[in-house]
Amino acid sequence: MADITLLHLAVRRLVGMAAVMLIVVSIVFIIVRIAPGDPAAVMLGPEATGADVAALRTAWGLDRPLAVQYLAYLGQLARGDLGRSIFLDRPVLTALQERAEPTLLLSLIAIAIALAIALPTGIAAALQPGSAFDQTVMALCMGAASLPTFWLGLVLIELFAVRWGLLPASGYDAPGASILYRLEHLILPATTLGLASAALVTRYTRAGMLDVLREDYVRTARAKGLGERRVVLRHALTTAALPILTVVGLTIAALVSGAVVTETVFGLPGVGSLVISAVLRRDYPLIQGALLVVAMLYVLINFAIDMLCLVLDPRLRT
Amino acid sequence: MGITRRGLGGVALATILEASTARAAVGVLNVATIGEPPTLDPMLSTADLVGTITQHMHETLYTFGTNWAPTPLLAAALPDISADGTVYTIPLRRDVKFNDGTPMGVDDVLASLQRWMGNATRGRQTGRSIAGIAAAGDSAIRITLTEPYAPLVSLLAFNNSAAIITPAGRQGGPVGTGPYQLREHKPDQYLQLVRNPYYTPLAGPSQFYGGARRPLLDEIRFIPVPDPDTRVAGALTGQFDYIDNLSPEAFPRLDASRTARPVVLKPYGWPVLAMNTKQGPLADIALRRAIQTALSPEDMMIAAFGSAQFGEPAGPMYPPGFPWHSDKGVVRYGEANPEKAAAQAKAAGYAGAKIRLLATRQYEFHYKIAQVAVEYLKLAGFNIELQIADWATLTQRRTDPALWEIYVTSSPFLPEPALNGYMLEDSPGWWATERKRAAVRAFNREGDAGRRAALFADIQTLIYDEAPIFKVGNFNSLAARSTRLQGFNPAPWPFFWNATLAA
């Protein structure tokens, strides 16, 4: 019975997801097309005349009515084709696949750094609420969350690349480079993002743990004579994991889709920088395809977290 | 004591450091660029970055030698020009091969020039004066003009919107005659060029873009680094060997560096306010003159570049050192007199019509110039509205005369005046008067270099008299090079043949 309820909820969420995606596709298409700017003018450069630009627009089919272009785009999507990037001269899906590696690695390393800092710090702070340690941690979290990531990135570059020569300032890949070469280029950007995310996750961990540690069953566990380590990690953290998991999931989604500033500062060829350059050039197919994929990623991650929460907490199924 | 690589232990870190040394291999030049080129077909685009990169892969019949004089590249000699100036016979080199090993022939040149005239902005501009192009034997071509057109050789020599020669059946592809060829392109990561094994350099010394082009480096890698601060950091760490397009604020750090040296190209270019002469209030020449009177080029240049080291006011359209330099006709430049301008505008019947000034923040100096211009024009009583847009939007809007009155742009000093937008009638601004038409026609018809310079001075006089544009000043560019880079000759579109890297 419980499995049927879960399946029913999953199907309902999936139908909702499909509707959300259609709305996203339509809004993105309309915004991209009505925004000023023209890929033909960007391609042809500053000395191009209006006639040159108009000729190229015609060649690309951009002079057709918007409705015609929209229907053609929907038909294309129905065939599983996200289109072809104007400037990269390759299928949008291929371009996104090429950029997935740095973004995913960056996100995973950043979230690993964030969790490595946030979980022990948040738990320790919750165990000593109001102490000097707790207040220091909260102040540091507030400071870290307030720092613009581009500034933090530039400071790390200045220290670790320029001053101490330990790590490269920017880039990701080179001809014949190994995975180690690429990982080396991810250390500073992942640290930048990880520190920013750690601040958020620490606060959620502390808050979640504080709530749970006040529960009767935790008091009972302690009264039964269980060790503090077992009480905290086995009993309290398991329950506090739900809100932490939610914020970690959303953080991963935000990192995958929104590490734009960090990718730009560190010259990382990820999905975020791809979207930015596509917007600056008005690479319509690429903007549409990238936003569609990112939206889908968000929706899927949300779906996965919802399902996970339903599995972990049966009360949510009612 | 600072931390050094030597001071660090640990197997993992050592492995990482080993991996990082791969990028320092001698003979591999890493060039940090401002971004990804919009295309690798230099015929299609007039963007400087496209020309900078692709000039290593593709070549033109002519190029620019010492003092910007056109000099043969794929052509065997300068053209033989008929007495009436309408027939150009261009002999071709017989020793040129494409990077796939096939020899360059007349058919390839004819197909390439036809494509240029059909697809390239500058090719279409030139094509209006061309009656026909045909083979003249098996190693020469003949271009017949409808009337004398002296800029032809310069237009054939320019590296953006370029008349590159590619194989007849494979136009627009990566196969070219340049000293380097494309090995791999990962957009937004790197563009890797390696030596063209079939390249035969011209004999003799190198002469700026002309003469012998020797591919001494094993590889050139163009790496997009969009963030300007990160480019500076890459220069200071030695990660890159040449770093393009830096902000003047980076100069002191580069000057103090032991790994990088600043490269100041003086003079590099000129910022300009282009005015809409076709439609709206500034179609009135008297109002354009009032704007000339109001503006302060000195304040605009200081705001934009910080000091005279990187930018200074200068009225002549070309700086000293160019054959086109002249002081003739420079009037109302630097008056910076809003009160007088207000009186001029009032006399012209100006009743407060909105003046829309377009600028972008993607080029910060454009924006700063716009800000100063706006304040001076307000003081002169103009109803000015500053509209900020990204460059893609600006380049689109400026093609519609209903959408703007002034826009800010800039350009390097182009070797031939005919390459400048203000010389054309369909360039945004649409300056098209009978006097201009006659002056430009006389300039384009004249073949003698000395007389052409005098005729360009007449055009400059006309520019100041009819005020289609307001030239703000001359600015210098800042780049950086590694101390290991040798044999590098600074140029507006930097090139790396003949350059080497010290071990």
Side-chain angles (χ1 to χ4, degrees):
Chain A
M1 184 67 189
D3 288 346
I4 292 172
T5 310
L6 204 57
L7 189 66
H8 179 69
L9 286 169
V11 170
R12 264 178 50 188
R13 297 271 160 93
L14 284 171
V15 171
M17 277 166 56
V20 166
M21 291 315 299
L22 185 63
I23 293 169
V24 167
V25 165
S26 306
I27 290 177
V28 167
F29 183 90
I30 292 166
I31 288 178
V32 164
R33 299 307 167 110
I34 62 171
D38 188 345
V42 176
M43 170 75 83
L44 293 173
E47 300 294 334
T49 63
D52 296 332
V53 174
L56 193 56
R57 282 181 65 79
T58 304
W60 286 345
L62 296 176
D63 59 339
R64 293 179 299 166
L66 207 58
V68 174
Q69 293 185 52
Y70 176 67
L71 289 176
Y73 180 57
L74 285 186
Q76 195 181 294
L77 286 181
R79 294 191 301 273
D81 179 7
L82 290 181
R84 193 173 182 82
S85 162
I86 294 171
F87 290 92
L88 303 182
D89 194 24
R90 62 191 67 200
V92 167
L93 204 56
T94 307
L96 289 169
Q97 282 166 349
E98 288 171 352
R99 305 308 172 86
E101 182 191 294
T103 296
L104 288 175
L105 282 176
L106 174 67
S107 306
L108 288 176
I109 298 172
I111 206 69
I113 291 171
L115 289 178
I117 296 170
L119 287 182
T121 312
I123 292 169
L127 288 172
Q128 313 160 51
S131 67
F133 175 75
D134 182 33
Q135 288 179 15
T136 307
V137 166
M138 286 302 96
L140 285 174
C141 285
M142 186 65 81
S146 311
L147 286 179
T149 48
F150 79 88
W151 182 85
L152 184 60
L154 289 174
V155 168
L156 291 180
I157 287 175
E158 180 64 29
L159 292 177
F160 289 91
V162 177
R163 198 162 294 185
W164 298 330
L166 288 169
L167 292 162
S170 70
Y172 178 67
D173 202 3
S178 66
I179 186 70
L180 281 176
Y181 178 91
R182 299 202 284 275
L183 287 173
E184 180 198 15
H185 284 74
L186 287 174
I187 294 173
L188 288 184
T191 306
T192 305
L193 280 178
L195 288 176
S197 303
L200 183 70
V201 181
T202 301
R203 290 173 68 87
Y204 270 85
T205 305
R206 176 184 173 275
M209 286 297 289
L210 271 179
D211 286 345
V212 174
L213 287 171
R214 294 189 193 111
E215 295 280 342
D216 290 343
Y217 79 92
V218 173
R219 196 174 302 117
T220 307
R222 281 185 175 135
K224 279 163 60 183
L226 291 180
E228 187 64 13
R229 187 188 175 88
R230 192 176 169 86
V231 169
V232 170
L233 297 181
R234 184 75 182 269
H235 293 264
L237 187 59
T238 314
T239 309
L242 278 179
I244 297 172
L245 195 65
T246 306
V247 77
V248 167
L250 291 175
T251 305
I252 292 174
L255 289 179
V256 169
S257 60
V260 176
V261 175
T262 308
E263 286 181 358
T264 304
V265 167
F266 289 95
L268 277 180
V271 175
S273 61
L274 181 72
V275 173
I276 286 291
S277 60
V279 168
L280 290 176
R281 294 168 180 159
R282 304 296 190 272
D283 192 336
Y284 296 150
L286 190 51
I287 300 170
Q288 289 163 187
L291 293 185
L292 181 62
V293 169
V294 165
M296 191 172 279
L297 211 64
Y298 250 97
V299 169
L300 285 176
I301 287 176
N302 268 316
F303 174 74
I305 291 168
D306 283 354
M307 289 297 110
L308 205 57
C309 288
L310 287 170
V311 169
L312 289 176
D313 189 350
R315 289 173 301 175
L316 298 174
R317 296 176 201 171
T318 55
Chain B
M1 183 179 160
I3 301 172
T4 65
R5 284 178 184 247
R6 247 176 243 179
L8 291 166
V11 176
L13 194 54
T15 313
I16 287 171
L17 295 180
E18 260 177 44
S20 72
T21 56
R23 65 170 173 255
V26 173
V28 177
L29 185 85
N30 291 299
V31 179
T33 61
I34 55 167
E36 186 66 23
T39 173
L40 289 182
D41 184 350
M43 244 188 216
L44 284 188
S45 182
T46 60
D48 291 330
L49 181 58
V50 175
T52 296
I53 293 173
T54 58
Q55 65 187 341
H56 296 85
M57 301 147 62
H58 294 290
E59 291 181 326
T60 42
L61 292 172
Y62 296 98
T63 187
F64 295 102
T66 312
N67 295 325
W68 293 104
T71 182
L73 187 56
L74 295 176
L78 286 169
D80 180 35
I81 306 171
S82 65
D84 67 353
T86 59
V87 181
Y88 283 57
T89 305
I90 298 175
L92 304 176
R93 280 168 59 193
R94 292 171 181 268
D95 60 344
V96 176
K97 286 184 176 174
F98 293 108
N99 60 37
D100 63 355
T102 56
M104 181 191 80
V106 169
D107 290 347
D108 303 312
V109 177
L110 293 177
S112 300
L113 293 183
Q114 290 295 347
R115 178 170 166 261
W116 182 60
M117 289 191 299
N119 294 287
T121 296
R122 299 189 200 287
R124 278 203 277 262
Q125 171 192 343
T126 312
R128 292 172 199 149
S129 305
I130 293 179
I133 304 179
D138 63 351
S139 62
I141 62 158
R142 182 170 298 129
I143 300 177
T144 307
L145 304 174
T146 53
E147 62 175 344
Y149 188 64
L152 177 65
V153 178
S154 291
L155 280 154
L156 290 173
F158 205 48
N159 70 6
N160 70 44
S161 192
I164 55 165
I165 306 303
T166 51
R170 286 166 290 161
Q171 293 282 297
V175 177
T177 61
Y180 288 88
Q181 61 181 354
L182 182 65
R183 162 75 64 82
E184 190 179 13
H185 181 204
K186 283 194 171 181
D188 290 331
Q189 297 190 49
Y190 58 82
L191 187 141
Q192 181 189 22
L193 303 183
V194 295
R195 281 197 199 98
N196 169 5
Y198 300 100
Y199 190 71
T200 307
L202 285 167
S206 66
Q207 302 165 23
F208 202 36
Y209 288 94
R213 295 178 165 189
R214 296 188 179 82
L216 302 177
L217 294 158
D218 298 326
E219 280 183 31
I220 305 171
R221 296 174 186 171
F222 291 95
I223 301 161
V225 186
D227 188 88
D229 294 315
T230 312
R231 284 204 298 281
V232 174
L236 298 174
T237 60
Q239 186 176 356
F240 304 115
D241 305 298
Y242 186 83
I243 305 92
D244 209 6
N245 220 303
L246 298 174
S247 159
E249 286 93 41
F251 183 83
R253 295 192 76 191
L254 293 167
D255 204 31
S257 169
R258 279 180 295 182
T259 55
R261 301 304 311 142
V263 178
V264 179
L265 194 64
K266 184 179 180 179
Y268 172 78
W270 52 292
V272 60
L273 305 184
M275 294 193 246
N276 183 350
T277 66
K278 186 177 189 177
Q279 189 173 328
L282 298 191
D284 182 348
I285 192 171
L287 282 189
R288 299 203 299 270
R289 286 175 180 158
I291 284 173
Q292 280 179 320
T293 304
L295 292 173
S296 167
E298 190 171 3
D299 285 358
M300 287 193 273
M301 292 304 284
I302 281 290
F305 300 100
S307 75
Q309 187 182 12
F310 287 98
E312 54 191 358
M317 298 306 296
Y318 277 88
F322 279 84
W324 315 109
H325 172 73
S326 165
D327 291 321
K328 187 178 173 186
V330 178
V331 293
R332 288 185 293 277
Y333 179 82
E335 282 194 33
N337 191 337
E339 292 85 4
K340 186 176 168 187
Q344 288 173 337
K346 190 177 175 187
Y350 178 65
K354 187 179 282 182
I355 309 283
R356 292 159 296 178
L357 194 157
L358 295 183
T360 182
R361 290 203 74 158
Q362 272 171 270
Y363 302 101
E364 193 63 18
F365 68 98
H366 289 193
Y367 173 65
K368 289 174 178 170
I369 284 170
Q371 282 183 308
V372 176
V374 162
E375 293 310 314
Y376 272 90
L377 293 176
K378 275 184 189 166
L379 285 174
F382 285 100
N383 176 15
I384 187 103
E385 179 183 281
L386 177 60
Q387 295 187 354
I388 302 299
D390 67 339
W391 185 243
T393 302
L394 192 150
T395 52
Q396 182 202 34
R397 282 193 186 162
R398 69 178 183 173
T399 60
D400 185 345
L403 295 180
W404 61 278
E405 276 70 46
I406 304 173
Y407 77 90
V408 184
T409 187
S410 61
S411 168
F413 289 107
L414 302 179
E416 155 66 46
L419 294 163
N420 290 299
Y422 59 78
M423 297 288 274
L424 307 174
E425 294 187 5
D426 49 2
S427 182
W430 305 280
W431 181 35
T433 61
E434 282 307 317
R435 291 170 70 202
K436 182 229 180 152
R437 207 162 287 145
V440 169
R441 186 160 184 261
F443 174 75
N444 285 344
R445 288 176 64 92
E446 180 56 61
D448 178 77
R451 283 198 292 271
R452 291 192 83 217
L455 287 168
F456 181 68
D458 292 342
I459 294 174
Q460 177 172 287
T461 303
L462 204 54
I463 288 172
Y464 275 91
D465 190 44
E466 298 195 346
I469 56 174
F470 183 89
K471 187 204 170 203
V472 186
N474 300 340
F475 71 93
N476 311 325
S477 72
L478 177 65
R481 66 171 177 83
S482 145
T483 49
R484 297 168 60 224
L485 181 59
Q486 297 174 346
F488 171 74
N489 191 357
W493 303 277
F495 57 87
F496 302 102
W497 53 81
N498 300 335
T500 57
L501 280 173

